Amino acid sequence: MSVDSDKDIDIMYGLRTVLSQVEKAVAVRSKDLPQIIPRLVAVSKIKPVSMILEAYEGGQRHFGENYVNELADKASDALILAKCKDIKWHFIGHLQTNKINKLLGSPQLFMVQTVDSQKLADNLNKQWSKYRKQEERLKIMIQVNTSGELAKSGISPKEVTQLVEYILKNCPNLEFSGLMTIGQYDYDVSKGPNPDFLSLIQCRQEVCENLNIDIKNVELSMGMSSDFMHAIELGATTVRVGSNIFGARPPKLN
């Protein structure tokens, strides 16, 4: 399929296919895992508003963006505001402090999945009071760099419990919702379960045991287009899928 012809992409087919695959993965996951229906976040990065509208009309409600400016522009788009009243935006990219206000001012912001420091948590906690509706807290996830790659954001697994505890004690405007990882790309599942997913699962276990939190209240956001079924089988409660729905993105330019 050509990456430069968005009009040739059958979004309805892609969405139906992904949702069917989600169901199949749920059917084979262990019954010992929290039996939460996974949330599909459609990653609409660099895709036009018209494609978001089409996916919304097909029943999709959760959408993810990697860049603050792009999320803010799309969330404020006149057509989105008029036709997508129940849309829920997830920010899934690296968040710089100087972009916090622009992000928090975006209509229908649902969750920030990429909190990776006390400083960022403090800033979000402080600024959210300007934008929140009544006593609504901002849902956040902690991003964990499970693969240890320098190019990826996120805290190390050993720091997770400490950051979660800090947020629970010091950030009353934030609602800790779970843990998120990107993990290494193109992992070969024939070698066994993805170690990055296993690492995130272990992080959740430690957080729940150390801080006395019910495991059902700590989500796991892991898995993308190439490995979301595997992630669900291991216990993902949120998967972030883009190209399987919206078509491939153009390759990065050097």
Side-chain angles (χ1 to χ4, degrees):
M1 183 179 292
S2 171
V3 297
D4 59 0
S5 183
D6 286 342
K7 68 178 183 296
D8 295 335
I9 296 162
D10 188 340
I11 292 173
M12 290 301 98
Y13 174 79
L15 196 55
R16 284 196 304 271
T17 301
V18 169
L19 290 171
S20 173
Q21 291 170 322
V22 166
E23 285 185 13
K24 288 177 183 175
V26 166
V28 299
R29 72 181 172 187
S30 169
K31 300 306 178 192
D32 295 330
L33 291 166
Q35 295 301 297
I36 298 167
I37 298 173
R39 175 195 296 125
L40 171 63
V41 175
V43 180
S44 44
K45 179 173 73 171
I46 80 166
K47 295 299 182 178
V49 164
S50 59
M51 298 182 84
I52 296 170
L53 291 171
E54 193 174 340
Y56 185 92
E57 288 167 6
Q60 181 62 24
R61 291 297 178 265
H62 293 267
F63 292 82
E65 291 287 342
N66 290 65
Y67 304 110
V68 171
N69 289 349
E70 190 171 359
L71 187 152
D73 288 347
K74 288 175 176 174
S76 302
D77 182 88
L79 284 173
I80 296 285
L81 290 172
K83 297 186 176 185
C84 306
K85 302 292 188 184
D86 298 322
I87 198 167
K88 295 174 173 63
W89 294 103
H90 294 246
F91 184 70
I92 57 175
H94 178 61
L95 180 56
Q96 297 170 303
T97 305
N98 64 347
K99 294 286 184 72
I100 285 177
N101 279 306
K102 186 162 192 175
L103 177 63
L104 297 186
S106 302
Q108 298 295 107
L109 178 67
F110 180 79
M111 182 183 288
V112 178
Q113 292 198 19
T114 50
V115 175
D116 59 2
S117 69
Q118 289 185 10
K119 178 184 176 184
L120 182 56
D122 280 334
N123 275 287
L124 286 168
N125 181 67
K126 179 181 177 182
Q127 301 301 330
W128 181 239
S129 58
K130 299 177 188 175
Y131 304 98
R132 68 179 179 183
K133 300 166 187 168
Q134 300 170 340
E135 295 305 308
E136 179 188 8
R137 293 185 294 163
L138 174 66
K139 292 180 176 64
I140 61 103
M141 287 189 178
I142 304 298
Q143 182 176 0
V144 187
N145 187 345
T146 51
S147 61
E149 296 171 75
L150 295 177
K152 291 202 172 96
S153 300
I155 61 172
S156 70
K158 67 179 185 292
E159 299 173 297
V160 174
T161 296
Q162 183 180 2
L163 182 53
V164 173
E165 184 174 28
Y166 179 85
I167 289 169
L168 292 175
K169 288 182 176 179
N170 300 285
C171 301
N173 293 328
L174 304 184
E175 178 182 331
F176 169 65
S177 298
L179 308 175
M180 176 266 213
T181 191
I182 294 174
Q184 59 180 298
Y185 297 111
D186 299 324
Y187 173 75
D188 182 1
V189 293
S190 69
K191 297 177 181 177
N194 188 322
D196 291 318
F197 297 166
L198 294 181
S199 175
L200 199 70
I201 292 164
Q202 181 61 33
C203 287
R204 177 172 68 175
Q205 190 70 30
E206 291 171 3
V207 164
C208 292
E209 288 176 358
N210 293 330
L211 302 179
N212 195 27
I213 301 175
D214 187 335
I215 196 169
K216 295 186 182 71
N217 295 328
V218 182
E219 295 188 43
L220 295 179
S221 176
M222 59 189 195
M224 298 185 286
S225 283
S226 62
D227 57 10
F228 70 92
M229 291 183 72
H230 178 58
I232 290 170
E233 289 173 24
L234 293 179
T237 61
T238 291
V239 290
R240 311 177 304 272
V241 180
S243 57
N244 289 22
I245 298 170
F246 297 111
R249 289 188 290 268
K252 288 182 180 178
L253 299 175
N254 293 327

